[in-house]
Amino acid sequence: DENKQPNSLTNSPAASIAATKHTPMIINKHRVAYSLALLASWNLRGRGGGSAVSAFSTVSGSFVRPYLAKRTTRTTASPNSACCIRPYSSSASVLEMADTTEVNVGANLEEVRQRVTKACEDAGRDPSSVRLVAVSKTKPLELLKDAYSNGQRIFGENYVQELVEKAKEFGEDDIQWHFIGALQSNKAATLVKSVVPYGKLTVETVSSLKVAKKLDNAMADYEGSLSIFVQVNTSGEESKSGVAPNETPALCKQIMEECDRVKIQGVMTIGAPGDTECLEILAKCRDDVAAELGLSDKDDLELSMGMSGDFEVAIAKGSTNVRVGSTIFGARDYSNKE
């Protein structure tokens, strides 16, 4: 069976390639891909002078074939194929072989900054009034460091374990981490205690008093307060997290009264793609929250809205916090996420 997994990683790459010479009419693409990947890994072993970089990664005790997305899927080698780091995986932080296109993070980041500036100018706003969160979920640490070297200090992550590992491994203490994924109450303490020691943390997805209290309790061991956004479900979609707009003011007041160590920085929404009404609903919700909390200036509360596809429109609608990911780091690969 030509699709069977090779029995050993010690098979000679030359021998594997030579085997294809006897089948000139039918090219075994899987065998060739395996041979090339293994040959590359041997070259890396020779250059590194230390531990070998395998063409395979070990996940749950089994070998994963990086050149096949699924055993039933045939792939064609891309002219841009290169040895590179696969998108970050919470299950295995390893070097793998993958077909990817190079991403110029610095150039992409500069383009986004220029677009943010222009959107602000068109809206008659100061560009410094808008915070750019570079959403780096599923991306390898090397790409984040590339963005860091180009002046980016604020990063957004969706998965607790991924953020915990990146915060610890990054090695810089001036990073601001924004957690923008669904947060379960039983992971709130882990998030705070594993990230706060390595940089500033903001949680943008608080949608219940229970989660707010868990975060509040976790901050007992640290000085200062934890900034949070209350997530609002402006689209009414069941698949989206967040509190209903009409329930948001009451929740914010409860949090302010019962949680001493968390500070409500603003309200946040994901919204439905292309639906600008969601942006307007969040702006109205912010005004209602400000009134409920007795704030004299509604602008004391921020608006976190706008992503790669609509951040310019969001800025025109008053956003102070835009979350841009794929436009900076390239398309995401969720194949390794659990």
Side-chain angles (χ1 to χ4, degrees):
D1 183 357
E2 64 182 22
N3 291 320
K4 284 184 178 179
Q5 189 75 13
N7 292 327
S8 171
L9 289 181
T10 60
N11 291 339
S12 166
S16 298
I17 296 174
T20 64
K21 294 181 179 179
H22 301 293
T23 57
M25 299 302 292
I26 301 176
I27 298 177
N28 186 334
K29 294 181 180 179
H30 295 180
R31 187 65 176 270
V32 172
Y34 160 70
S35 301
L36 292 176
L38 186 57
L39 182 60
S41 78
W42 282 29
N43 289 337
L44 286 173
R45 183 201 302 260
R47 293 192 201 121
S51 59
V53 179
S54 174
F56 295 86
S57 64
T58 301
V59 181
S60 301
S62 62
F63 291 117
V64 178
R65 302 170 78 174
Y67 52 88
L68 289 178
K70 295 180 181 179
R71 290 185 63 97
T72 58
T73 302
R74 293 183 179 274
T75 59
T76 302
S78 165
N80 294 319
S81 298
C83 179
C84 60
I85 295 181
R86 200 179 262 281
Y88 192 95
S89 168
S90 61
S91 59
S93 305
V94 294
L95 285 170
E96 294 178 319
M97 297 294 296
D99 287 343
T100 64
T101 302
E102 291 291 330
V103 177
N104 191 331
V105 172
N108 292 346
L109 189 57
E110 181 58 29
E111 180 183 354
V112 170
R113 286 170 176 160
Q114 291 177 1
R115 290 170 62 184
V116 168
T117 297
K118 185 177 185 305
C120 287
E121 291 173 348
D122 290 345
R125 299 178 56 189
D126 185 343
S128 66
S129 67
V130 177
R131 179 187 304 103
L132 173 60
V133 179
V135 179
S136 47
K137 62 180 181 180
T138 79
K139 295 301 179 179
L141 200 60
E142 282 70 13
L143 290 188
L144 279 72
K145 289 186 175 181
D146 193 354
Y148 182 90
S149 68
N150 283 277
Q152 185 65 26
R153 295 294 183 271
I154 309 171
F155 297 91
E157 293 288 341
N158 281 57
Y159 308 103
V160 172
Q161 187 58 34
E162 182 176 349
L163 174 50
V164 165
E165 293 181 13
K166 284 181 176 177
K168 183 177 181 180
E169 295 172 11
F170 204 101
E172 304 290 348
D173 59 6
D174 59 344
I175 301 295
Q176 296 182 42
W177 297 102
H178 282 229
F179 184 77
I180 58 175
L183 179 61
Q184 298 175 342
S185 59
N186 62 351
K187 293 187 177 181
T190 297
L191 178 64
V192 170
K193 294 180 179 180
S194 301
V195 176
V196 171
Y198 301 102
K200 183 178 178 181
L201 173 65
T202 297
V203 180
E204 292 202 26
T205 50
V206 175
S207 58
S208 71
L209 181 62
K210 181 178 180 180
V211 169
K213 285 186 172 182
K214 291 286 187 179
L215 293 171
D216 184 68
N217 292 336
M219 283 297 297
D221 297 331
Y222 305 99
E223 295 182 0
S225 58
L226 175 70
S227 293
I228 67 168
F229 285 76
V230 171
Q231 183 175 0
V232 184
N233 186 345
T234 55
S235 65
E237 298 172 273
E238 293 184 2
S239 60
K240 298 284 179 64
S241 299
V243 63
N246 63 336
E247 298 175 355
T248 304
L251 174 60
C252 289
K253 188 171 184 179
Q254 279 186 299
I255 293 173
M256 186 182 72
E257 293 175 344
E258 300 183 33
C259 302
D260 297 329
R261 303 178 192 90
V262 299
K263 176 184 177 182
I264 299 176
Q265 187 169 337
V267 288
M268 171 269 208
T269 194
I270 295 176
D275 187 355
T276 59
E277 185 180 0
C278 291
L279 308 178
E280 296 167 357
I281 290 174
L282 189 70
K284 172 63 167 58
C285 184
R286 185 270 308 271
D287 296 350
D288 293 341
V289 170
E292 183 72 20
L293 299 184
L295 302 179
S296 57
D297 188 353
K298 65 181 182 181
D299 291 332
D300 288 341
L301 292 176
E302 293 193 33
L303 291 172
S304 176
M305 58 186 190
M307 298 181 285
S308 288
D310 64 354
F311 68 86
E312 288 149 315
V313 176
I315 289 173
K317 298 290 185 180
S319 178
T320 60
N321 191 83
V322 294
R323 311 178 302 272
V324 182
S326 58
T327 303
I328 297 172
F329 295 109
R332 299 187 183 94
D333 179 359
Y334 293 98
S335 60
N336 286 328
K337 298 308 298 179
E338 294 182 339

